[in-house]
Amino acid sequence: MKSSILTHPIHLGLGATAIAQPPFVGMEWYEAYAERAVADGAEGQLVSAYDFAEPWPMWEMHPHGDEVVLCLSSVVTLHQERDGGVEKITLHAGEFAINSAGVWHTADVAEPTRVLFITAGMDTQHRPR
């Protein structure tokens, strides 16, 4: 099977399984993904990549596990809330950072940027920016 990570994220599940997911079609996709992956609990991870042309409109937080953020092209600036402040981490192509479990985060881009994520997504929370 051959697919693009930009359209078909991958679920990494228990027993070292890798399952290509249906095409990503918007934020409602995540609810259906959570139902598909519920059996793997907090150990399941989602591998996905997106192209961003503008800053994220929200903050998010993954309560049950860390998230790897790998910049594939251009530059992305992560903002992580820690100890009452916000830490900025600028990533260039090929660099990664980790959003620790429970840390609220968002991101900014100044030009089109591609980013790959490996996310422990169970019970992910969002709030307005």
Side-chain angles (χ1 to χ4, degrees), residues 102-123:
V103 170
W104 284 96
H105 54 276
T106 190
D108 290 327
V109 297
E111 59 188 43
T113 304
R114 181 169 289 170
V115 182
L116 182 129
F117 302 90
I118 304 171
T119 308
M122 188 173 95
D123 297 329

Side-chain angles (χ1 to χ4, degrees), residues 1 9 14-15 18-19 21 30 33 36-37 39 45 55 60 66 69 76 79 85 93 123 126-127 129:
M1 174 181 192
L14 300 178
I19 303 166
Q21 297 298 295
Y30 289 106
Y33 167 74
R36 289 190 301 274
Q45 296 186 324
E60 70 175 16
D66 298 342
V69 180
V76 60
H79 304 272
D123 297 329
H126 295 94
R127 70 174 196 218
R129 191 162 180 188

Side-chain angles (χ1 to χ4, degrees), residues 3 20 62 68 98 119 124-125:
S3 295
H62 313 288
V68 175
I98 297 171
T119 308
T124 292
Q125 299 173 26

